[in-house]
Amino acid sequence: MSAPPSGTAILLFLRVTLHVGFAVLLGVATLGLLTGGGVNGSRYGWAALAAVLAGAYLAGTLVEKRFAAGKSGFDPRRYAVLWLGTVTVLWVMLLAGSADFSWLAFPLFFLHLHVLPRPVALVNIALLTAAVIASQWAAGGEPVPHVALVLGPLVGAAFSVVTGLAYRALYRDAENQRRAADELRRTRADLARSQHDAGVLAERERLAREIHDTLAQGLSSILLVARAAEKSLRDGDSAAAGERLALVQQTAAENLAEARHFVRGLASPQLKESSLVDALRRLCDETEALAAARGSGLRCRLEVEGGPAELPQPYTVALLRAAQASLANVREHAHAGTAVVTLAYLGNEVTLDIFDDGVGFDPAAPRPEGRGFGLRSLRERVAMLGGSLDLESAPGEGTVVAVRLPLEASENQA
């Protein structure tokens, strides 16, 4: 079963029918003018006037059609009343020459209803109907007009008014639908742009977090260990320098692998073939080695409480990044002797606590410019997973970073 025609299709059909009807009626009347009698004056003069009417009508419809199709920037709507007045005056002049042009009144009724305000259009239709009756009465030569001569134009005018009003209502409905469709397209375009911008921003934030938690920390470690190796070379301790250069190579290789993986959106290579517990244990060993290369006696140990649960990649990556960022801060700023990483599975949540016995700091104090991004990005990463991050510290009392992730949400995302 075929779908019903849309309002736009119906309007197009009615408009084409109106224009074709006007052309046919004008052509028939002109042909009758040239072949028949009862013409006041020269037939060819009236035929020329009919050609002028045809040209004026055709010019107006073509200009309006080009504008509606978007092929012209000239807006003819401001001149619609002038065009309709010109067509109507030309028709009245032709009506004075031959009653055969009376039938053109019916297409003109529709034009008046469409272009003019309704009260003005109804008054004009009444005047046009009176002109048709008068023309046909004069052509008939009867002292009193026949009832059919009066009723015919009146019924035709009434039918035209009803049909014209229905057309106008349908036209308004089609215009409202068109405006609603345009607004919907604009809204979709704005939404697409917003989603694209949000996607770009989210990707930038992802890259910023990954770069800070991996590459930036790795490069910082490489720089510090390279300086320690340079000092060992100046002191003539080639063995220590060799160990530190090997550590530089190892750290650079690990960060290169991290860069390749996070660009592809993959898991951390430290988690690719091992568990979170193994990755945290290796991280503690690396923390001690990097601290030793700088001449620090930092000791780092891992404690695991509860039975390990299966966690999805976003959770394991978030916990590993939390440990990496926290231990990097311990190495560079805490001046601590001990760091303890505690991973606990507590039934309805998994927790990760990183404690150090270093100098501590005041979390409420303003941070130096360029500092604090790691903690902020870590909070955002944890919040995206429905968890929380707490920071406890005070000058001289060490620091604790506590991450909490709900296991129920974790299992739903697995």
Side-chain angles (χ1 to χ4, degrees):
M1 182 176 179
S2 61
S6 65
T8 303
I10 296 174
L11 284 174
L12 178 61
F13 174 77
L14 292 176
R15 292 176 68 177
V16 170
T17 302
L18 174 67
H19 297 328
V20 171
F22 187 92
V24 170
L25 292 173
L26 180 60
V28 170
T30 304
L31 184 61
L33 183 82
L34 293 174
T35 59
V39 181
N40 300 323
S42 171
R43 296 178 182 178
Y44 296 104
W46 291 113
L49 185 60
V52 173
L53 173 59
Y57 188 92
L58 181 62
T61 56
L62 288 179
V63 171
E64 192 276 336
K65 181 180 179 182
R66 286 179 57 83
F67 174 77
K71 298 179 180 179
S72 173
F74 174 73
D75 188 357
R77 289 175 295 186
R78 68 183 72 177
Y79 303 104
V81 175
L82 177 61
W83 171 79
L84 180 59
T86 301
V87 170
T88 303
V89 169
L90 291 173
W91 172 76
V92 171
M93 295 172 62
L94 287 170
L95 190 63
S98 173
D100 290 342
F101 291 96
S102 300
W103 303 107
L104 285 172
F106 297 107
L108 289 177
F109 292 161
F110 289 104
L111 292 176
H112 279 258
L113 284 170
H114 181 65
V115 173
L116 300 176
R118 184 180 301 176
V120 178
L122 293 177
V123 171
N124 287 355
I125 289 173
L127 294 176
L128 295 179
T129 304
V132 169
I133 295 173
S135 175
Q136 292 186 350
W137 181 21
E142 298 179 0
V144 178
H146 192 272
V147 175
L149 185 146
V150 176
L151 288 179
L154 288 177
V155 172
F159 179 78
S160 299
V161 168
V162 172
T163 307
L165 293 178
Y167 172 88
R168 191 167 183 173
L170 185 61
Y171 177 82
R172 286 197 300 268
D173 184 63
E175 281 295 296
N176 291 335
Q177 291 182 1
R178 181 188 61 80
R179 285 193 290 268
D182 291 341
E183 182 63 26
L184 179 59
R185 282 192 291 268
R186 286 193 295 269
T187 301
R188 285 178 175 175
D190 293 341
L191 179 60
R193 285 193 296 270
S194 299
Q195 290 177 337
H196 175 267
D197 294 342
V200 171
L201 181 60
E203 183 63 12
R204 287 178 178 174
E205 291 178 350
R206 182 186 79 86
L207 292 176
R209 286 194 298 267
E210 297 292 347
I211 290 173
H212 177 274
D213 294 343
T214 57
L215 300 185
Q217 301 293 352
L219 292 173
S220 176
S221 298
I222 289 172
L223 178 61
L224 295 174
V225 175
R227 289 174 178 172
E230 182 181 12
K231 182 177 182 300
S232 297
L233 288 175
R234 287 198 304 267
D235 295 341
D237 189 352
S238 57
E243 292 178 358
R244 290 168 179 172
L245 288 176
L247 187 57
V248 166
Q249 293 177 357
Q250 177 186 345
T251 306
E254 291 174 353
N255 278 263
L256 179 60
E258 288 279 7
R260 288 171 174 169
H261 279 73
F262 80 68
V263 166
R264 298 170 188 166
L266 303 176
S268 170
Q270 298 187 41
L271 298 169
K272 189 174 182 181
E273 297 178 354
S274 62
S275 66
L276 175 62
V277 173
D278 293 335
L280 291 176
R281 186 170 289 111
R282 285 197 303 271
L283 178 62
C284 284
D285 294 339
E286 293 171 3
T287 299
E288 289 187 354
L290 290 171
R294 298 177 56 190
S296 171
L298 175 64
R299 291 291 176 264
C300 180
R301 72 174 185 271
L302 172 67
E303 296 182 357
V304 180
E305 300 177 1
E310 188 70 23
L311 299 177
Q313 177 183 322
Y315 280 68
T316 56
V317 171
L319 294 173
L320 178 61
R321 295 292 185 247
Q324 288 174 327
S326 300
L327 290 177
N329 287 331
V330 172
R331 290 197 315 267
E332 296 180 13
H333 309 296
H335 304 290
T338 302
V340 180
V341 179
T342 303
L343 178 65
Y345 298 90
L346 304 178
N348 61 348
E349 67 179 3
V350 59
T351 67
L352 180 72
D353 298 333
I354 300 95
F355 161 78
D356 71 81
D357 60 358
V359 296
F361 65 98
D362 182 4
R367 310 299 300 276
E369 186 175 356
R371 296 278 300 278
F373 176 81
L375 182 61
R376 183 173 68 253
S377 66
L378 188 55
R379 287 187 188 277
E380 293 173 355
R381 188 193 293 270
V382 172
M384 288 172 59
L385 300 177
S388 64
L389 183 146
D390 296 316
L391 174 67
E392 297 180 6
S393 184
E397 297 183 8
T399 302
V400 177
V401 177
V403 178
R404 302 288 184 271
L405 292 176
L407 282 181
E408 289 84 354
S410 168
E411 292 170 357
N412 292 334
Q413 297 183 28

